[in-house]
């Protein structure tokens, strides 16, 4: 299923990422995740209140990109609850959709910055989930 692209706001090289960019990016990205044949059912099975979840994710990315401290959650705890789905293949699929979405919606340098951050976050989550699995196996 092809998802129509929203109007793209191309940033000039001297422009910075804005809160509005994040507020547009996150719902668009997760609409693509939900449409994905593999990730969609996983996310729809885990998330019961999408509007609230999107607000949390916008706060998360706002905190990451602007060090605002708006996000107050515990992403590791949330991901460990769904450890059976936290495979390297699923993380790579998520990152692939992230890269494609950020490339399409943002200026190249801004997209690249968000992609590097997402890569680091994914790596951290994978390591945390693996630690949890190993710890659970020895308990």
């Amino acid at each position: 299923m092809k998802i129509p692209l929203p109007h793209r706001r191309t940033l000039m090289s001297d422009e910075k990422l804005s809160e509005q960019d994040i507020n547009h990016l996150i719902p668009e990205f997760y609409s693509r995740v939900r449409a994905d044949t593999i990730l969609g059912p996983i996310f729809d099975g885990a998330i019961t209140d999408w509007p609230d979840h999107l607000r949390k994710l916008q706060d998360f990315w706002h905190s990451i990109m602007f060090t605002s401290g708006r996000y107050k959650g515990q992403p590791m705890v949330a991901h460990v609850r769904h450890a059976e789905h936290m495979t390297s293949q699923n993380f790579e699929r998520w990152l692939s959709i992230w890269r494609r979405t950020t490339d399409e919606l943002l200026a190249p340098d801004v997209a690249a910055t968000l992609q590097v951050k997402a890569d680091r976050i994914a790596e951290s989550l994978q390591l945390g989930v693996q630690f949890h699995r190993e710890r659970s196996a020895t308990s």
Side-chain angles (χ1 to χ4, degrees):
M1 169 162 101
K2 183 150 174 113
I3 300 171
L5 292 176
H7 180 335
R8 179 179 178 164
R9 180 176 98 77
T10 303
L11 299 175
M12 303 307 288
S13 62
D14 62 341
E15 287 188 78
K16 304 269 189 251
L17 180 71
S18 71
E19 183 172 357
Q20 292 76 23
D21 294 323
I22 291 173
N23 291 345
H24 177 74
L25 171 65
I26 297 306
E28 175 60 27
F29 168 69
Y30 279 98
S31 74
R32 295 175 187 206
V33 167
R34 293 178 76 187
D36 184 79
T37 58
I38 293 173
L39 297 181
I42 294 168
F43 277 81
D44 282 337
I47 309 302
T48 57
D49 183 348
W50 273 101
D52 181 59
H53 190 65
L54 292 173
R55 279 189 296 278
K56 285 179 188 174
L57 290 167
Q58 288 166 328
D59 287 348
F60 174 81
W61 280 100
H62 194 275
S63 292
I64 294 295
M65 299 307 295
F66 304 123
T67 60
S68 68
R70 283 175 34 177
Y71 178 73
K72 304 295 183 200
Q74 296 179 316
M76 187 60 71
V77 172
H79 287 80
V80 166
R81 278 193 295 245
H82 304 285
E84 71 275 13
H85 299 296
M86 300 292 121
T87 66
S88 58
Q89 295 85 1
N90 287 346
F91 272 103
E92 188 51 47
R93 196 170 184 97
W94 186 95
L95 286 168
S96 175
I97 297 169
W98 180 257
R99 288 182 202 109
R100 195 166 47 249
T101 306
T102 54
D103 280 343
E104 292 172 3
L105 298 181
L106 301 167
D109 56 334
V110 175
T113 300
L114 284 160
Q115 291 164 11
V116 168
K117 297 279 189 187
D119 287 340
R120 290 182 183 152
I121 291 164
E123 180 179 21
S124 175
L125 289 172
Q126 288 179 82
L127 290 170
V129 169
Q130 184 60 34
F131 175 78
H132 171 75
R133 285 182 186 132
E134 291 170 4
R135 189 170 179 200
S136 296
T138 61
S139 298

Coordinates of all heavy atoms in Angstrom, one line a residue, residues 19-34 43-44 46-63 70-71 94 98 101:
E19 N 9.9 22.6 16.4 CA 8.9 21.8 17.1 C 7.8 21.3 16.1 O 7.3 20.2 16.1 CB 8.3 22.5 18.2 CG 7.3 21.7 19.0 CD 6.9 22.4 20.3 OE1 7.4 23.5 20.7 OE2 6.0 21.8 21.0
Q20 N 7.4 22.2 15.2 CA 6.4 21.9 14.2 C 6.9 20.8 13.3 O 6.1 19.9 12.9 CB 6.0 23.2 13.4 CG 5.3 24.2 14.2 CD 6.3 25.0 15.1 OE1 7.5 25.1 14.8 NE2 5.7 25.6 16.1
D21 N 8.2 20.8 13.0 CA 8.7 19.7 12.1 C 8.5 18.3 12.9 O 8.1 17.3 12.3 CB 10.2 19.9 11.8 CG 10.4 21.1 10.9 OD1 9.6 21.3 10.0 OD2 11.4 21.8 11.1
I22 N 8.8 18.3 14.1 CA 8.7 17.1 14.9 C 7.2 16.7 15.0 O 6.8 15.5 14.9 CB 9.3 17.2 16.3 CG1 10.8 17.3 16.2 CG2 8.9 16.1 17.2 CD1 11.6 17.6 17.4
N23 N 6.4 17.7 15.3 CA 4.9 17.4 15.4 C 4.3 16.9 14.1 O 3.3 16.2 14.1 CB 4.2 18.7 15.9 CG 4.5 19.0 17.3 OD1 5.1 18.2 18.0 ND2 4.2 20.2 17.7
H24 N 4.9 17.2 13.0 CA 4.4 16.7 11.7 C 5.1 15.3 11.4 O 4.4 14.4 10.9 CB 4.8 17.7 10.6 CG 4.4 17.2 9.2 ND1 3.1 17.2 8.8 CD2 5.2 16.7 8.2 CE1 3.1 16.7 7.6 NE2 4.4 16.4 7.2
L25 N 6.4 15.2 11.7 CA 7.1 14.0 11.4 C 6.6 12.8 12.1 O 6.4 11.7 11.5 CB 8.6 14.2 11.7 CG 9.5 13.0 11.7 CD1 9.6 12.5 10.2 CD2 10.9 13.3 12.3
I26 N 6.4 12.9 13.4 CA 6.0 11.7 14.2 C 4.7 11.1 13.8 O 4.7 9.9 13.6 CB 6.0 12.1 15.7 CG1 7.4 12.5 16.2 CG2 5.5 11.0 16.6 CD1 8.5 11.5 15.8
P27 N 3.6 11.8 13.6 CA 2.4 11.2 13.2 C 2.5 10.6 11.8 O 2.0 9.5 11.5 CB 1.3 12.3 13.2 CG 1.9 13.3 14.1 CD 3.3 13.2 14.0
E28 N 3.2 11.3 10.9 CA 3.4 10.7 9.5 C 4.2 9.4 9.6 O 3.9 8.4 8.9 CB 4.1 11.8 8.7 CG 4.5 11.3 7.3 CD 3.3 10.8 6.5 OE1 2.2 11.3 6.7 OE2 3.4 10.0 5.6
F29 N 5.3 9.4 10.4 CA 6.2 8.3 10.5 C 5.3 7.1 11.0 O 5.4 6.0 10.5 CB 7.4 8.5 11.4 CG 8.1 7.3 11.8 CD1 8.8 6.6 10.8 CD2 8.1 6.9 13.1 CE1 9.5 5.4 11.2 CE2 8.8 5.7 13.4 CZ 9.5 5.0 12.5
Y30 N 4.6 7.3 12.1 CA 3.9 6.2 12.7 C 2.7 5.8 11.9 O 2.2 4.6 12.0 CB 3.5 6.5 14.2 CG 4.7 6.2 15.0 CD1 5.6 7.2 15.4 CD2 5.0 4.9 15.3 CE1 6.7 6.9 16.2 CE2 6.2 4.6 16.1 CZ 7.0 5.6 16.5 OH 8.1 5.3 17.2
S31 N 2.2 6.6 11.0 CA 1.1 6.1 10.1 C 1.8 5.1 9.1 O 1.1 4.2 8.7 CB 0.4 7.3 9.3 OG 1.3 7.8 8.3
R32 N 3.0 5.4 8.7 CA 3.7 4.4 7.9 C 4.1 3.1 8.6 O 4.0 2.0 8.0 CB 5.0 5.1 7.3 CG 4.7 6.3 6.4 CD 5.9 7.0 6.0 NE 5.7 8.2 5.3 CZ 6.5 8.7 4.4 NH1 7.6 8.2 4.1 NH2 6.1 9.8 3.8
V33 N 4.5 3.2 9.9 CA 4.7 2.1 10.7 C 3.5 1.2 10.8 O 3.5 0.0 10.6 CB 5.3 2.5 12.1 CG1 5.3 1.3 13.0 CG2 6.7 3.0 11.9
R34 N 2.4 1.9 11.1 CA 1.1 1.1 11.2 C 0.6 0.5 9.9 O -0.1 -0.5 10.0 CB 0.0 2.1 11.8 CG 0.3 2.5 13.2 CD -0.7 3.5 13.7 NE -1.9 2.7 14.1 CZ -3.0 3.3 14.5 NH1 -3.1 4.6 14.5 NH2 -4.0 2.5 14.8
F43 N 2.8 -2.9 16.6 CA 2.5 -1.6 17.2 C 1.0 -1.5 17.6 O 0.7 -1.0 18.7 CB 2.9 -0.5 16.3 CG 4.4 -0.1 16.5 CD1 5.3 -0.9 15.8 CD2 4.8 0.9 17.3 CE1 6.7 -0.6 15.9 CE2 6.2 1.2 17.4 CZ 7.1 0.4 16.7
D44 N 0.1 -1.9 16.7 CA -1.3 -1.8 17.0 C -1.7 -2.7 18.2 O -2.6 -2.4 18.9 CB -2.1 -2.1 15.8 CG -2.2 -0.9 14.8 OD1 -2.0 0.2 15.3 OD2 -2.4 -1.1 13.6
A46 N 0.3 -3.3 20.7 CA 1.0 -2.7 21.9 C 0.4 -1.4 22.3 O 0.4 -1.1 23.5 CB 2.5 -2.6 21.7
I47 N -0.1 -0.6 21.4 CA -0.6 0.7 21.7 C -2.1 0.7 21.7 O -2.7 0.4 20.7 CB -0.1 1.7 20.6 CG1 1.4 1.6 20.4 CG2 -0.5 3.2 21.0 CD1 2.3 1.9 21.6
T48 N -2.7 1.2 22.8 CA -4.1 1.3 22.9 C -4.7 2.7 22.7 O -5.8 2.8 22.3 CB -4.6 0.8 24.3 OG1 -3.9 1.5 25.3 CG2 -4.2 -0.7 24.5
D49 N -3.9 3.7 22.9 CA -4.3 5.1 22.8 C -3.3 5.8 21.9 O -2.3 6.4 22.4 CB -4.4 5.7 24.1 CG -4.9 7.2 24.1 OD1 -5.0 7.8 23.0 OD2 -5.2 7.7 25.1
W50 N -3.5 5.7 20.6 CA -2.6 6.3 19.6 C -2.4 7.8 19.8 O -1.2 8.3 19.8 CB -2.9 6.0 18.2 CG -2.3 4.7 17.8 CD1 -2.9 3.4 17.8 CD2 -0.9 4.4 17.5 NE1 -2.0 2.5 17.4 CE2 -0.7 3.0 17.3 CE3 0.2 5.3 17.4 CZ2 0.5 2.5 16.9 CZ3 1.4 4.7 17.0 CH2 1.6 3.3 16.8
P51 N -3.4 8.6 20.0 CA -3.2 10.1 20.1 C -2.3 10.4 21.3 O -1.4 11.2 21.2 CB -4.6 10.7 20.3 CG -5.5 9.7 19.6 CD -4.9 8.3 19.8
D52 N -2.5 9.7 22.5 CA -1.7 9.9 23.6 C -0.2 9.4 23.3 O 0.7 10.1 23.7 CB -2.2 9.1 24.8 CG -1.4 9.3 26.1 OD1 -1.2 10.5 26.5 OD2 -0.9 8.3 26.6
H53 N -0.1 8.3 22.7 CA 1.2 7.7 22.4 C 2.0 8.7 21.4 O 3.2 8.9 21.7 CB 1.1 6.4 21.7 CG 2.4 5.6 21.6 ND1 3.2 5.3 22.7 CD2 3.1 5.3 20.5 CE1 4.3 4.7 22.3 NE2 4.3 4.7 21.0
L54 N 1.3 9.2 20.5 CA 2.0 10.2 19.5 C 2.5 11.4 20.3 O 3.5 11.9 20.0 CB 1.1 10.5 18.4 CG 0.8 9.4 17.4 CD1 -0.2 9.8 16.4 CD2 2.1 8.9 16.7
R55 N 1.6 11.9 21.2 CA 2.1 13.1 22.0 C 3.3 12.7 22.8 O 4.2 13.5 22.9 CB 0.9 13.5 23.0 CG -0.1 14.4 22.3 CD -1.1 15.0 23.3 NE -1.9 14.0 24.0 CZ -3.0 13.4 23.5 NH1 -3.4 13.8 22.3 NH2 -3.7 12.5 24.2
K56 N 3.4 11.5 23.4 CA 4.5 11.1 24.2 C 5.8 11.0 23.3 O 6.9 11.5 23.7 CB 4.3 9.8 24.8 CG 3.4 9.8 26.0 CD 3.2 8.4 26.6 CE 2.2 8.4 27.7 NZ 1.9 7.0 28.1
L57 N 5.6 10.5 22.1 CA 6.7 10.4 21.1 C 7.2 11.8 20.7 O 8.4 12.0 20.5 CB 6.3 9.5 20.0 CG 6.2 8.0 20.3 CD1 5.5 7.3 19.2 CD2 7.5 7.4 20.7
Q58 N 6.2 12.7 20.5 CA 6.6 14.0 20.1 C 7.4 14.7 21.3 O 8.5 15.3 21.0 CB 5.4 14.9 19.8 CG 4.8 14.5 18.4 CD 3.4 15.0 18.2 OE1 2.6 15.2 19.2 NE2 3.1 15.3 17.0
D59 N 7.0 14.5 22.5 CA 7.7 15.0 23.6 C 9.1 14.3 23.7 O 10.1 15.0 24.0 CB 7.0 14.7 25.0 CG 5.8 15.6 25.1 OD1 5.6 16.6 24.4 OD2 4.9 15.3 26.0
F60 N 9.2 13.0 23.4 CA 10.4 12.3 23.5 C 11.4 12.9 22.5 O 12.5 13.2 22.8 CB 10.2 10.8 23.1 CG 11.4 10.0 23.0 CD1 12.1 9.5 24.1 CD2 12.0 9.7 21.7 CE1 13.3 8.8 24.0 CE2 13.1 9.0 21.6 CZ 13.8 8.5 22.7
W61 N 11.0 13.1 21.2 CA 11.9 13.6 20.2 C 12.2 15.1 20.5 O 13.3 15.5 20.2 CB 11.3 13.4 18.8 CG 11.6 12.0 18.4 CD1 10.7 10.9 18.4 CD2 12.9 11.5 17.9 NE1 11.4 9.8 18.0 CE2 12.7 10.1 17.7 CE3 14.1 12.0 17.7 CZ2 13.7 9.3 17.2 CZ3 15.1 11.3 17.2 CH2 15.0 9.9 17.0
H62 N 11.2 15.8 21.0 CA 11.5 17.2 21.4 C 12.6 17.2 22.5 O 13.6 18.0 22.4 CB 10.2 17.9 21.9 CG 10.3 19.3 22.0 ND1 10.9 20.0 23.1 CD2 10.0 20.3 21.1 CE1 10.8 21.3 22.9 NE2 10.3 21.5 21.7
S63 N 12.5 16.3 23.4 CA 13.6 16.2 24.5 C 14.9 15.8 23.9 O 16.0 16.3 24.3 CB 13.1 15.2 25.6 OG 12.0 15.7 26.3
R70 N 10.9 17.6 28.2 CA 9.5 17.4 28.2 C 9.1 15.9 28.4 O 8.0 15.7 28.9 CB 8.9 17.9 26.9 CG 8.8 19.4 26.8 CD 8.4 20.0 25.6 NE 7.4 19.3 24.8 CZ 6.9 19.7 23.6 NH1 7.2 20.9 23.2 NH2 6.0 19.0 23.0
Y71 N 9.9 15.0 27.9 CA 9.5 13.6 28.0 C 9.9 13.1 29.4 O 11.0 13.3 29.9 CB 10.3 12.8 26.9 CG 10.0 11.3 27.0 CD1 8.7 10.8 26.6 CD2 10.9 10.4 27.5 CE1 8.4 9.5 26.7 CE2 10.6 9.1 27.6 CZ 9.4 8.6 27.2 OH 9.1 7.3 27.3
W94 N 12.1 -0.8 11.3 CA 11.7 0.5 11.9 C 12.6 1.6 11.4 O 12.2 2.7 11.0 CB 11.7 0.4 13.4 CG 11.1 1.6 14.1 CD1 9.9 1.7 14.6 CD2 11.9 2.7 14.6 NE1 9.8 2.9 15.3 CE2 11.0 3.6 15.3 CE3 13.2 3.2 14.4 CZ2 11.3 4.8 15.8 CZ3 13.6 4.4 14.9 CH2 12.6 5.2 15.6
W98 N 12.0 5.0 9.2 CA 12.4 6.3 9.8 C 13.3 7.0 8.8 O 13.1 8.2 8.5 CB 13.1 6.0 11.1 CG 13.6 7.3 11.7 CD1 14.9 7.8 11.8 CD2 12.8 8.2 12.5 NE1 14.9 8.9 12.5 CE2 13.7 9.2 12.9 CE3 11.5 8.3 12.8 CZ2 13.3 10.3 13.7 CZ3 11.0 9.4 13.6 CH2 11.9 10.4 14.0
T101 N 11.2 8.3 5.8 CA 10.3 9.3 6.2 C 11.1 10.6 6.4 O 10.7 11.7 5.9 CB 9.5 9.0 7.4 OG1 8.8 7.7 7.2 CG2 8.4 10.0 7.7

